[in-house]
Amino acid sequence: MRTILYLLFLALASESAYAQIIFKEPFSQRIANYTISVTLDTDGKTLEGKETLVWTNPSNDLITELQFHLYLNAFKNSESTFMKESGGQLRGIEMTGDGWGWIDITSMRVRGGEDLTSKIEFIHPDDDNEKDQTVVRVQLQKPILPRQTITLDLDFTAKLPTIFARTGYHKNFFMVAQWFPKIGVYEPAGMRYVTKGQWNCHQFHANTEFYADFGVYDVSITLPQNFIVGATGILQTEKPNGDGTKTLAFRAEDVHDFAWTAFPDFTIVEDEWKHVKIKLLLSPGHTQHADRYIHSTKAALSYFDSWVGEYPYPNVTVVDPPLGAFGAGGMEYPTLFTGGSFWGLPEGLKFVELVTVHEFGHQYWYGIVANNEFEEAWLDEGINQYSETRIMDETYGAKTSVIDLAGYKLGDLETARTGYRGMKNPKIAPTFSNAWEYGAGGYGSITYSKAATFLTTLERMIGRPVMDEIMRTYFQRWKFKHPSSRNFIEVVNEIVRKHHGEKFGNNMNWFFDQVLFGTDICDYELTSLQVSRVRGPYGQIEKDTTSSKKPAEYESRLLVSRLGEVRMPVDVLVGFDDGTERRERWDGQARWKEFRYRSSSKAVWAKVDPDHILTIDVNVLNNSMTTDPARLPIWKYTLKFLFWVQNALQYASIF
């Protein structure tokens, strides 16, 4: 998701052509396999479902209880943890008074064994909110042995909320996500940070997203005949039922979630890129943006393919929500994501492209690599934001990839950097935090913008080719495996040492200790630039009548200061009035460093970090100084802003 920018903009054939495209070999360890049949009541906005879960104990432990997410209960009332944390609004959208949603498990049985329905118990692993009902546990009479499989049959009923936080309905548009009883992740000893096997099944929080095991989903959806459906996976069959309804069967392999959408007024646009079938579902009035969606989807597919590795699925579905359903926009699910557009959106405002590139990127970092988004959101959101800035700036221009309108230009990396550097309190929390623990705010700016910014700093420090090898190695090594921050850092240390030896020390832990695990800021300042003429000998000195007059000599003195606590190596570039330049290297450890030069030329300007390596520096306006005030950087930005205001007013006057 890209929250700060999303707020700026508020049939099918009887047999799928893709039905035979299935995976021959599993990519993942298939822990949780679901078979679900669900009926959507489009009038009552309810779901009636039957679910069979085949779950495999991945550990050497005896499992005596199971834990499940009931995410829809986050929208049951104002007392859920989600509603308390969000204050009843998310991404600028408020929960309406009659728009509540919920989910109930009406039956749970072990196949051929005990009835577990009466043993379902609400638990609250993250807080003391006894009224939160988003997690349940069930005690088992017979424990599950190591590597043993259990089969459960469940019945459930659910009421969808009005579109609020990624899921729900608006009139006759449905975005059905986090809609079924979903088993948590049992983490064996040695997985991520776990020393003893345990369930990882967090409550649904306002800031968190999701974490689940990979598996296979066979999902049958029954709904009125006139509805067009998009879903995770591949459509296998579509059968009319003779009563005005139809049933569609989808299959998705090696995914960790299943979401779907239904709307009678979608316009379907189909395309393909290499082995990937692209399906775009456009809302009324938005068909003008079809080419923009398709082009940006292909741009993202192509970039990731050459950068880190092949997209392993045969399809991707892009959903464009209608007006009034933007709460469902800008969200990712396996092989399906939602975008966002509106009628009349000019091409100079590249929000369609930005959201598309961002959400497709989640197919890799959320969908395939699949970290724990509750506890280490930056591994998805931050890495994906970094990926987005690269793709957008290289596809649409480094200075025009977000806005190129009425003379005002803005690039994506600049937007990400501003999202972090513009914070009132950039020390508000470490990036490595549980997502729900950003109680004082800053989740988006820290998890998305700061992480993308420090990854860009790392890239510029070690070099683009080395960074590319890091990202490719990390993806290939950890796809379908649920990595941790520690695993990412291990890859960084390995590849940096391979190419740079000990240039940056024995490892890069010092870097991550500051930017990931710490809260300190980076701020280097060119504090002063002084030039004075060097006086010749004076006092009672015998005059030398034989020597010719010596040219004037000047002393130039630069003072560079470290205002923040973050320590980074940094360059200083000095320019002299004869056109020569001097580059200095400072380890950035001390609080200040002075540079002195004596020559017949005078220093006229100086820059700290002249190559913009330290994108994490929170104040770039104090990085340079000149003896000529007209060269001050503030004038550059002032004139740029005034030029844009003038053009914007002229543009507005046309209408």
Side-chain angles (χ1 to χ4, degrees):
M1 298 183 313
R2 184 67 177 279
T3 305
I4 190 171
L5 288 171
Y6 296 159
L7 298 180
L8 296 175
F9 57 85
L10 295 176
L12 289 172
S14 61
E15 182 74 18
S16 169
Y18 313 149
Q20 301 306 314
I21 304 176
I22 58 175
F23 303 115
K24 294 181 180 180
E25 297 293 338
F27 298 122
S28 67
Q29 185 180 6
R30 296 173 173 178
I31 302 297
N33 299 312
Y34 293 87
T35 301
I36 305 174
S37 61
V38 62
T39 299
L40 171 65
D41 180 345
T42 56
D43 293 328
K45 319 301 183 187
T46 59
L47 303 172
E48 292 291 337
K50 291 184 177 294
E51 172 183 324
T52 296
L53 169 65
V54 180
W55 185 80
T56 302
N57 178 359
S59 72
N60 294 321
D61 306 328
L62 294 178
I63 305 298
T64 59
E65 73 171 36
L66 301 175
Q67 295 187 9
F68 289 83
H69 296 283
L70 298 180
Y71 286 115
L72 283 180
N73 281 342
F75 315 115
K76 190 170 188 177
N77 53 50
S78 62
E79 300 306 300
S80 73
T81 293
F82 184 103
M83 296 304 291
K84 285 180 173 293
E85 291 175 349
S86 68
Q89 62 177 354
L90 193 70
R91 295 163 63 177
I93 298 172
E94 296 185 7
M95 171 63 78
T96 59
D98 58 350
W100 303 105
W102 43 263
I103 181 170
D104 284 337
I105 299 174
T106 56
S107 174
M108 180 185 291
R109 286 181 172 273
V110 178
R111 178 75 60 87
E114 66 176 319
D115 186 340
L116 300 173
T117 310
S118 63
K119 296 184 177 181
I120 297 173
E121 174 190 5
F122 292 112
I123 60 173
H124 325 95
D126 304 329
D127 62 19
D128 58 357
N129 183 7
E130 294 183 355
K131 296 182 179 179
D132 186 80
Q133 298 182 351
T134 58
V135 178
V136 296
R137 70 179 171 195
V138 184
Q139 296 290 335
L140 299 173
Q141 185 178 56
K142 181 181 178 181
I144 309 171
L145 301 177
R147 317 301 169 180
Q148 186 181 42
T149 294
I150 187 173
T151 300
L152 300 176
D153 293 310
L154 300 86
D155 294 340
F156 66 93
T157 183
K159 167 70 168 61
L160 294 172
T162 55
I163 289 288
F164 176 58
R166 314 175 180 95
T167 190
Y169 70 91
H170 173 72
K171 297 181 179 178
N172 59 350
F173 168 81
F174 294 86
M175 187 66 229
V176 188
Q178 307 305 330
W179 54 282
F180 58 93
K182 188 176 184 181
I183 197 165
V185 177
Y186 189 83
E187 296 184 326
M191 181 178 178
R192 297 176 63 249
Y193 309 104
V194 176
T195 57
K196 183 180 179 180
Q198 63 182 26
W199 281 102
N200 194 298
C201 194
H202 293 291
Q203 296 162 243
F204 196 2
H205 298 271
N207 280 339
T208 58
E209 292 184 10
F210 313 107
Y211 178 44
D213 282 317
F214 287 95
V216 176
Y217 286 78
D218 286 294
V219 179
S220 296
I221 303 167
T222 300
L223 75 176
Q225 188 91 33
N226 64 323
F227 274 75
I228 296 170
V229 176
T232 294
I234 299 294
L235 178 64
Q236 304 295 298
T237 60
E238 179 178 338
K239 299 177 181 178
N241 297 320
D243 60 355
T245 68
K246 61 183 177 181
T247 299
L248 300 91
F250 291 88
R251 181 175 176 85
E253 301 185 8
D254 298 295
V255 297
H256 52 78
D257 200 2
F258 188 100
W260 53 283
T261 185
F263 187 38
D265 298 324
F266 278 133
T267 295
I268 303 174
V269 178
E270 294 181 321
D271 209 318
E272 61 184 292
W273 178 88
K274 291 188 176 180
H275 68 286
V276 182
K277 304 293 184 181
I278 303 171
K279 177 176 287 187
L280 170 62
L281 302 178
L282 283 165
S283 290
H286 298 181
T287 54
Q288 61 183 302
H289 302 310
D291 289 344
R292 299 173 66 176
Y293 272 117
I294 295 296
H295 178 269
S296 51
T297 300
K298 289 183 176 181
L301 275 163
S302 178
Y303 198 99
F304 274 101
D305 179 77
S306 61
W307 182 32
V308 297
E310 184 180 57
Y311 179 71
Y313 304 111
N315 73 309
V316 63
T317 299
V318 187
V319 181
D320 173 71
L323 185 67
F326 285 129
M331 187 57 197
E332 69 278 0
Y333 309 95
T335 76
L336 178 147
F337 64 86
T338 60
S341 71
F342 56 86
W343 182 88
L345 180 66
E347 291 195 12
L349 298 177
K350 291 186 169 50
F351 300 131
V352 172
E353 293 83 356
L354 187 148
V355 176
T356 301
V357 167
H358 184 92
E359 300 310 331
F360 176 82
H362 281 303
Q363 297 300 316
Y364 275 72
W365 308 122
Y366 148 85
I368 301 170
V369 177
N371 66 289
N372 185 332
E373 291 191 289
F374 289 95
E375 299 176 8
E376 298 179 276
W378 83 275
L379 279 174
D380 171 39
E381 301 295 357
I383 290 178
N384 192 49
Q385 189 70 55
Y386 164 70
S387 306
E388 173 205 308
T389 63
R390 289 181 51 149
I391 298 171
M392 287 296 294
D393 284 356
E394 293 177 34
T395 304
Y396 301 104
K399 296 185 178 181
T400 57
S401 59
V402 175
I403 301 175
D404 185 8
L405 186 67
Y408 186 76
K409 302 177 187 296
L410 181 65
D412 200 14
L413 175 58
E414 186 177 350
T415 303
R417 292 168 65 189
T418 302
Y420 166 58
R421 297 189 322 207
M423 294 181 68
K424 291 182 179 179
N425 180 12
K427 298 182 178 182
I428 197 166
T431 309
F432 185 86
S433 297
N434 292 326
W436 67 89
E437 292 180 345
Y438 287 84
Y443 168 75
S445 296
I446 296 293
T447 303
Y448 292 66
S449 299
K450 180 182 178 181
T453 301
F454 74 63
L455 287 171
T456 302
T457 295
L458 178 63
E459 173 201 303
R460 295 184 177 185
M461 187 179 297
I462 63 178
R464 171 65 71 91
V466 178
M467 190 67 174
D468 286 349
E469 185 174 342
I470 287 170
M471 300 309 296
R472 186 174 187 85
T473 301
Y474 172 67
F475 175 74
Q476 294 294 339
R477 185 173 297 172
W478 288 102
K479 58 186 179 182
F480 302 108
K481 292 181 182 177
H482 305 305
S484 67
S485 297
R486 180 169 57 196
N487 301 134
F488 180 80
I489 294 170
E490 287 171 350
V491 173
V492 172
N493 288 337
E494 172 190 332
I495 304 303
V496 170
R497 190 174 181 84
K498 170 185 172 182
H499 289 277
H500 291 296
E502 295 190 2
K503 176 182 177 180
F504 298 101
N506 189 48
N507 55 53
M508 297 297 293
N509 292 353
W510 60 268
F511 179 87
F512 291 100
D513 285 345
Q514 297 181 94
V515 301
L516 177 62
F517 300 108
T519 61
D520 292 329
I521 63 169
C522 176
D523 186 10
Y524 285 95
E525 175 191 70
L526 184 60
T527 304
S528 66
L529 171 57
Q530 297 177 341
V531 180
S532 60
R533 183 167 180 170
V534 178
R535 297 176 61 181
Y538 57 94
Q540 294 184 1
I541 299 175
E542 183 176 347
K543 185 176 182 180
D544 184 358
T545 59
T546 62
S547 62
S548 59
K549 187 177 180 180
K550 294 182 179 180
E553 187 177 25
Y554 299 92
E555 182 177 66
S556 302
R557 299 174 62 184
L558 281 73
L559 181 63
V560 184
S561 301
R562 178 173 60 80
L563 304 183
E565 299 304 318
V566 168
R567 295 170 169 85
M568 297 279 177
V570 63
D571 282 0
V572 180
L573 187 64
V574 188
F576 295 86
D577 61 1
D578 63 356
T580 61
E581 296 180 356
R582 289 279 299 271
R583 181 180 288 265
E584 307 287 354
R585 183 71 165 172
W586 179 33
D587 64 12
Q589 297 297 307
R591 277 294 179 186
W592 58 272
K593 174 73 172 179
E594 184 180 60
F595 299 94
R596 293 192 181 195
Y597 309 93
R598 275 198 176 193
S599 69
S600 59
S601 58
K602 297 180 286 187
V604 291
W605 58 264
K607 297 178 182 178
V608 176
D609 190 28
D611 302 316
H612 308 292
I613 301 296
L614 304 182
T615 55
I616 195 111
D617 191 321
V618 297
N619 184 8
V620 296
L621 293 180
N622 65 8
N623 283 19
S624 60
M625 190 171 290
T626 178
T627 57
D628 179 4
R631 295 174 62 103
L632 287 173
I634 187 64
W635 288 107
K636 168 187 172 183
Y637 293 101
T638 301
L639 292 173
K640 180 179 179 181
F641 176 72
L642 292 175
F643 175 75
W644 178 78
V645 170
Q646 181 184 30
N647 280 273
L649 291 173
Q650 291 175 351
Y651 182 79
S653 68
I654 299 174
F655 303 94

